[in-house]
Amino acid sequence: MKELNNLKDLDCLKKEDFSVLMVYAEGCEACAKAKPEFEKLDKNFEYDFYQIPLNQESMEFYKKYEEQVKMPVPAVDEDGDPIVDASGKQMTRNEMRYQVVVPKFYVFHGSESSEEDEYGLLGKVDGFNVEQLGAILEQMKDLEVDNG
């Protein structure tokens, strides 16, 4: 696993292969718990794994991919419970756009890159949900074998 320090380092995602990126925040308890699990995934899969701290510079990257959420996705807390507004209505992530969720995991493949998406985003997993990320990576591995 490679630690990235700035947005220029993200050029390593621009390749014809799968890359997995974890965005984390220093001092975040959930991030600290997710890192060892993320490292285990790195050892179990032949993809390239990277991590980058959320700071002022990487926030541009973070916001870019948050704005790509086009469908209203229900917002949940780290336990999976719905986040509701004052009237009791479940909020969507779009309504919570300015609330930062870390850790966040992104999966990229260079063959999917375009003018709008230079890295080729395939999907993302929000919050401390490393198990879901592992399941997705396992499915990707199976697809590679099937398409082999």
Side-chain angles (χ1 to χ4, degrees), residues 21 33 53 64 82 86 92 95 105 121 125 127 130 133-134 137 142-143 145:
L21 175 69
K33 289 179 183 176
K64 172 184 175 182
T92 66
E95 293 167 331
F105 307 96
L121 177 70
V125 176
V130 184
L133 175 63
L137 296 177
D142 292 342
L143 286 174
V145 171

Side-chain angles (χ1 to χ4, degrees), residues 15-120:
K15 58 182 180 267
E16 298 295 314
D17 202 0
F18 287 106
S19 300
V20 184
L21 175 69
M22 174 182 172
V23 176
Y24 68 94
E26 295 291 339
C28 165
E29 188 175 319
C31 298
K33 289 179 183 176
K35 277 187 173 187
E37 298 300 316
F38 191 64
E39 289 172 8
K40 286 180 191 175
L41 290 176
D42 180 26
K43 292 178 180 148
N44 292 332
F45 294 94
E46 294 183 19
Y47 309 133
D48 294 322
F49 283 73
Y50 304 97
Q51 54 187 18
I52 189 168
L54 188 62
N55 54 34
Q56 193 167 10
E57 184 179 8
S58 61
M59 183 62 83
E60 291 176 37
F61 170 87
Y62 183 95
K63 285 181 181 178
K64 172 184 175 182
Y65 285 104
E66 281 309 289
E67 290 171 5
Q68 286 190 4
V69 177
K70 293 180 176 45
M71 294 178 56
V73 178
V76 294
D77 65 16
E78 61 186 34
D79 296 324
D81 298 324
I83 297 174
V84 296
D85 63 15
S87 67
K89 175 184 165 246
Q90 183 168 8
M91 297 179 70
T92 66
R93 290 191 191 143
N94 288 346
E95 293 167 331
M96 298 180 61
R97 174 175 288 159
Y98 302 107
Q99 190 169 24
V100 175
V101 176
V102 286
K104 188 173 295 261
F105 307 96
Y106 300 90
V107 179
F108 300 95
H109 197 288
S111 68
E112 297 297 316
S113 65
S114 65
E115 279 188 34
E116 298 83 35
D117 179 9
E118 62 187 309
Y119 305 111

